Structure formats: structure tokens, C-alpha cells
């Protein structure tokens, strides 16, 4: 790495290093590039962070932006880490925590990578940004693009929840609905990126984009008072989030801020679980799912771009990949809301939905510390969820109506 640079790009496959410019693939082997940092020269102690801004930018030295003036922040990051005593008790585990990434500016963890990628687009002086999205990245990219005053092009599959579309459109993005799957929308977005000078955050800005997500690992270390949890359970679609969180814990250890790394558990919905299948069949490669079928639409990526890296990170950590059925996912939404007061969307809660299975299979035990990432808000998929909850009661605004309410509430009539 050139001596004056804080960071560079490195091929994940052949290891060749590059200047941190606007590219995402290795010229030698076409492997994906990732950001590496000059950690040795960094003088970061545990105390440094506590006084800093309460957003992901508190870890500025570990993020791939050169000049702070290029950052357009809406406050993404530094979300809560909640101890979940009631849900933990129901499951029979003592130290369960929820990383509530539903409180980000557009209500999913995607604000983290979108914030970093849009900052990088500003730094590269690109004229426009965009993304291929299963729904959440659309709003996150559109919001940060609006903040940075950049035009934004969003490519989504046709079956995305309407709430997610209206959210992204409100920020002024151009929305392109592709009559097909996410993987097909992603293909069109890549071609568009090649033909234009647009920074597609999760395609040609991907090495920078994924760096935003690793801040979840930094926050967990800090919020547990620099203790590393035994287990971290993470929803997976492309596998980028899990890979990035693994990288975050590794960097914390390499910096000497913590002395171990957690086991990583990846969670997918049964109707779209190509990474889980490869894990169960002990394979290196991933067989794509042609037509994903799941209530967790935000996780419906049949051909996961970072799947092999997520698999490697899971295996290296001693963790596992497991799937949950649609019923288990909807039940997890209900449990988390009822027991902890947190309202999550299907894709964001699959980490909670697999907990029972992880405990039954002995992957997680009673006295260990487990953190579940909950990555998207229930407000993004209300119709899917409404089908599952108990029906409301409807009454006339009369004495009879009140009587009915008293019966339901089991209040004695005086
Ligand atoms: C709510 C939510 N959680 C998790 C993920 C998984 O992210 P990744 O594609 O990085 O695996 C997504 C992806 O869209 C998502 O929307
Ligand atoms: Zn290479």
C-alpha cells in the first residue's frame, strides 16, 4: 500500500492491490475488490470513540472516505443494542441482544452502506447514483442522494412492496420497475452502470458500499463495553452484510480493541436459501434459486453476489447457515413486537426466526451471549404482516358498542 494512503483496494481472489479509484473488479482475474486499511499506523484506543458523533462516522478512520466534506449524513448508524430478556426467556437463553437497525433514517440497515457509497460518489465527482434493490436499498440510496443533491436511478423487481416504492419515489428518485426477478433488475442496472457514468452503489461502488455495514460490528463491540459476543445472527440476501460484519469484527481484533471474534450465523428464508443449501451440502459454490418464493421479499436474491464470501466467513468463524419458514418469520415478527416492543419486517427478522433452530441444534447455548441483527422496520411491509395479527374489533359508536369493548377487555360493567 502506498505509504501516505490510509486505504487501498485489494482483490479478494488473487490479492492484487490497487489505488482506491472508481472500480470494483480485478483486472487480472475479475475477482471483486475490497477495501484494506493501513491499521498499523492508526492510534485508536477504546476511549477515543466515546466522545464522538453518534453515527457510523464515529469510525471515520476505518471508512474509505478521504475528505469529511464529501459526507452527506442523515444520522445513519449508532443504533441501539437492546437486551431482550422476555424473548430470551421464552427461548431459554440468558443473554440475548437485538441490534435494532430499524431506527436508521430510512428504517433499515441499508442506510449505512448507502451513506458511505453516496459519499464516495461525491468524492469521485460522479454525476448521478443509483442501485439495484429488493426494496430497502431503494429508499436508503434515494434519501442520501437527495441529501447530496445527486440524481438517483433505482432498479427494482416488479413485486416490491408498494410502501417501499412510495418511500423511494418521495425522495425524487427515478424508479425503474423491471418485469422480472431481483437478479434480472440487477443485470439491467449493471449494464446501465457500464453505459453511463453513474455510481450504482451496490455494483460499481460495491467495495466502498459494503464498508458502511461493518460499522454494526464496531458498534456491538463498543456497546458491549468492548466484549465480543459469542454469536451474531445475521439476515442474508446477497451475503454482503454478513461478510462486512465479519470484516468489522476482524478489524477490531487486528486493532487490538477486542481479543476475539464471534461465531457468525447466517439466516435466510426457506423460499430463497441458496447460501444455506450450500452450507448444508458442504459445497464451496452456490446453486442459484431461479424464482424465490418468500414473504421476506427484501431477501429474495436468488443469485447471491457475496454468497461464497459469506459462506467462507461463516465456516471460518465456526458458525452455521440456517433457514426459517414463512410461518416462523411471521411468528418472529409477532414475538419481537409483543415481547420487546420492536416492529420488524419479514426480511429483517429472519435472524430471530432461526433462533429456535439454532438452540435445538446446539449451535447456541443458554449461557452464551447472542446478538441478533434486526435490519428492517415492520412499517415497510404492513400488508404482509396485517394478514397474520389478531383481527381488530369493529363496533358501532353506541352503548352496545361500548358493552362489546368491555366484554373483550374483560372489564366488569358497573
Ligand atoms: C432488511 C434486510 N436485511 C438484510 C438484508 C441482506 O443484505 P445482503 O444482501 O447484504 O445480504 C437485506 C437486503 O436487501 C434487507 O433488506
Ligand atoms: Zn484478482
Amino acid at each position: 500500500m502506498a505509504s501516505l494512503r490510509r486505504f487501498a483496494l485489494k482483490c479478494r481472489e488473487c490479492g492484487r492491490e490497487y489505488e482506491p479509484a472508481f472500480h470494483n473488479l480485478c483486472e487480472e482475474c475479475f475477482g471483486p475488490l475490497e477495501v484494506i486499511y493501513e491499521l498499523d499506523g492508526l492510534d485508536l484506543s477504546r476511549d477515543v470513540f466515546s466522545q464522538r458523533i453518534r453515527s457510523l462516522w464515529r469510525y471515520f478512520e476505518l471508512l474509505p472516505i478521504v475528505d469529511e466534506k464529501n459526507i452527506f449524513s442523515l444520522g445513519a448508524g449508532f443504533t441501539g443494542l437492546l437486551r431482550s430478556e422476555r424473548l430470551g426467556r421464552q427461548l431459554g437463553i440468558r443473554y440475548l441482544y437485538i441490534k435494532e437497525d430499524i431506527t436508521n433514517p430510512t428504517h433499515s440497515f441499508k442506510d449505512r452502506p448507502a451513506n458511505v457509497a453516496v459519499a464516495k460518489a461525491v468524492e469521485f465527482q460522479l454525476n448521478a447514483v443509483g442501485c439495484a434493490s429488493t426494496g430497502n436499498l431503494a429508499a436508503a440510496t434515494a434519501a442520501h442522494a437527495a441529501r447530496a443533491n445527486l440524481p438517483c436511478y433505482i432498479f427494482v423487481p416488479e413485486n416490491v412492496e408498494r410502501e417501499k416504492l412510495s418511500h423511494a419515489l418521495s425522495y425524487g428518485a427515478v424508479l425503474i420497475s423491471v418485469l422480472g426477478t431481483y437478479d434480472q433488475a440487477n443485470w439491467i442496472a449493471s449494464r446501465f452502470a457500464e453505459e453511463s457514468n453513474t455510481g450504482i452503489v451496490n455494483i460499481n461502488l460495491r467495495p466502498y458500499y459494503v464498508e458502511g455495514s461493518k460499522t454494526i460490528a464496531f458498534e456491538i463491540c463498543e456497546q458491549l463495553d468492548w466484549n465480543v459476543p459469542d454469536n451474531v445472527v445475521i439476515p442474508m440476501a446477497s451475503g454482503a452484510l454478513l461478510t462486512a460484519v465479519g470484516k468489522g469484527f476482524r478489524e477490531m481484533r487486528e486493532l487490538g480493541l477486542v481479543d476475539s471474534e464471534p461465531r457468525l450465523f447466517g439466516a435466510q428464508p426457506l423460499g430463497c436459501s441458496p447460501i444455506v443449501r450450500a452450507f448444508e451440502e458442504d459445497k464451496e459454490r452456490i446453486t442459484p434459486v431461479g424464482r424465490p418464493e418468500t414473504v421476506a421479499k427484501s431477501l429474495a436474491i436468488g443469485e447471491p453476489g457475496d454468497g461464497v464470501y459469506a459462506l467462507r466467513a461463516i465456516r471460518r468463524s465456526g458458525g452455521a447457515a440456517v433457514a426459517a419458514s414463512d410461518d416462523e418469520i411471521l411468528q418472529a415478527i409477532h414475538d419481537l413486537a409483543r415481547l420487546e416492543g420492536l416492529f420488524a419486517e419479514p426480511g429483517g427478522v429472519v435472524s430471530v426466526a432461526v433462533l429456535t433452530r439454532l438452540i435445538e441444534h446446539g449451535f447456541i447455548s443458554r449461557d452464551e451471549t447472542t446478538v441478533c441483527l434486526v435490519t428492517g422496520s415492520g412499517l415497510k411491509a404492513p400488508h404482509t404482516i396485517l394478514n397474520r395479527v389478531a383481527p381488530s374489533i369493529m363496533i358501532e359508536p353506541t352503548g352496545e358498542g361500548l358493552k362489546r369493548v368491555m366484554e373483550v377487555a374483560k372489564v366488569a360493567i358497573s
Side-chain angles (χ1 to χ4, degrees):
M1 196 187 301
S3 58
L4 282 175
R5 287 218 183 280
R6 276 177 39 229
F7 57 88
L9 292 175
K10 184 176 179 183
C11 174
R12 280 180 181 170
E13 292 300 327
C14 75
R16 184 171 159 185
E17 290 188 18
Y18 295 85
E19 289 293 299
F22 181 33
H23 45 217
N24 61 312
L25 295 178
C26 177
E27 288 165 14
E28 203 87 30
C29 73
F30 298 106
L33 304 181
E34 69 174 350
V35 180
I36 53 164
Y37 298 82
E38 187 62 86
L39 296 181
D40 284 348
L42 281 181
D43 186 19
L44 288 177
S45 67
R46 293 175 175 183
D47 303 333
V48 163
F49 299 107
S50 58
Q51 303 303 321
R52 291 189 175 179
I53 186 170
R54 295 172 71 82
S55 81
L56 61 90
W57 297 106
R58 70 202 268 117
Y59 309 107
F60 179 77
E61 293 91 335
L62 300 169
L63 291 167
I65 301 299
V66 177
D67 192 335
E68 286 185 55
K69 80 172 189 327
N70 296 321
I71 297 168
F72 289 83
S73 174
L74 291 161
F78 218 68
T79 56
L81 184 69
L82 291 189
R83 174 89 188 267
S84 295
E85 294 201 11
R86 290 181 69 204
L87 181 60
R89 207 172 306 132
Q90 177 172 296
L91 291 161
I93 48 177
R94 283 176 69 184
Y95 306 106
L96 176 65
Y97 291 84
I98 302 292
K99 182 66 174 156
E100 43 159 2
D101 250 40
I102 57 186
T103 57
N104 277 309
T106 70
H107 311 291
S108 85
F109 87 94
K110 294 281 185 183
D111 285 316
R112 297 174 185 266
N115 191 179
V116 173
V118 171
K120 203 65 206 171
V122 174
E123 202 147 88
F124 287 145
Q125 300 184 329
L126 304 182
N127 296 329
V129 292
C131 66
S133 173
T134 52
N136 286 324
L137 185 58
T141 307
H144 287 89
R147 186 87 177 153
N149 191 21
L150 285 175
C152 181
Y153 302 94
I154 308 280
F155 297 81
V156 289
E158 60 186 314
N159 71 346
V160 165
E161 293 97 336
R162 297 185 67 75
E163 295 79 12
K164 290 183 179 162
L165 299 185
S166 66
H167 196 178
L169 281 166
S170 302
Y171 296 113
V174 177
L175 197 126
I176 301 109
S177 262
V178 179
L179 299 170
T181 61
Y182 168 82
D183 298 292
Q184 290 166 318
N186 189 60
W187 179 78
I188 299 267
S190 327
R191 296 303 317 277
F192 176 73
E194 282 163 20
E195 305 288 328
S196 64
N197 197 33
T198 301
I200 301 292
V201 298
N202 54 339
I203 299 178
N204 53 10
L205 286 170
R206 197 169 181 88
Y208 304 102
Y209 160 89
V210 295
E211 291 294 288
S213 302
K214 76 178 181 187
T215 54
I216 292 179
F218 300 166
E219 291 171 19
I220 291 172
C221 293
E222 217 188 321
Q223 290 167 321
L224 289 177
D225 208 12
W226 302 102
N227 290 302
V228 173
D230 298 291
N231 314 301
V232 181
V233 194
I234 306 170
M236 298 190 295
S238 73
L241 170 62
L242 186 140
T243 311
V245 169
K247 184 173 188 273
F249 281 111
R250 199 171 68 234
E251 286 174 359
M252 285 283 106
R253 192 178 51 73
E254 285 169 2
L255 277 163
L257 292 169
V258 297
D259 51 19
S260 63
E261 293 175 44
R263 283 188 292 267
L264 303 174
F265 293 92
Q268 292 198 294
L270 211 50
C272 184
S273 46
I275 307 177
V276 173
R277 197 155 0 104
F279 179 82
E280 287 172 349
E281 294 171 0
D282 221 10
K283 293 201 172 121
E284 290 284 315
R285 296 173 74 90
I286 289 169
T287 310
V289 170
R291 284 255 147 216
E293 287 291 343
T294 169
V295 282
K297 294 207 175 85
S298 50
L299 302 184
I301 296 185
E303 205 169 339
D306 280 304
V308 290
Y309 301 106
L311 264 181
R312 284 182 206 167
I314 289 167
R315 288 182 174 136
R316 175 179 164 273
S317 77
V322 269
S325 68
D326 281 0
D327 266 356
E328 289 169 324
I329 291 170
L330 293 168
Q331 185 61 44
I333 293 177
H334 193 54
D335 289 346
L336 195 61
R338 200 170 42 89
L339 298 173
E340 304 295 349
L342 293 178
F343 186 41
E345 68 159 300
V349 85
V350 68
S351 48
V352 174
V354 297
L355 277 177
T356 308
R357 192 150 305 142
L358 288 175
I359 295 163
E360 273 170 16
H361 287 49
F363 287 120
I364 286 182
S365 56
R366 180 179 157 75
D367 292 320
E368 290 175 343
T369 302
T370 299
V371 176
C372 273
L373 309 192
V374 171
T375 48
S377 162
L379 293 174
K380 285 167 170 272
H383 292 100
T384 314
I385 298 167
L386 194 58
N387 295 336
R388 174 76 183 201
V389 290
S392 57
I393 55 167
M394 197 177 285
I395 55 159
E396 296 285 350
T398 59
E400 274 309 298
L402 178 61
K403 215 165 130 198
R404 169 104 178 84
V405 177
M406 305 292 246
E407 281 163 20
V408 172
K410 299 194 176 62
V411 176
I413 298 169
S414 54

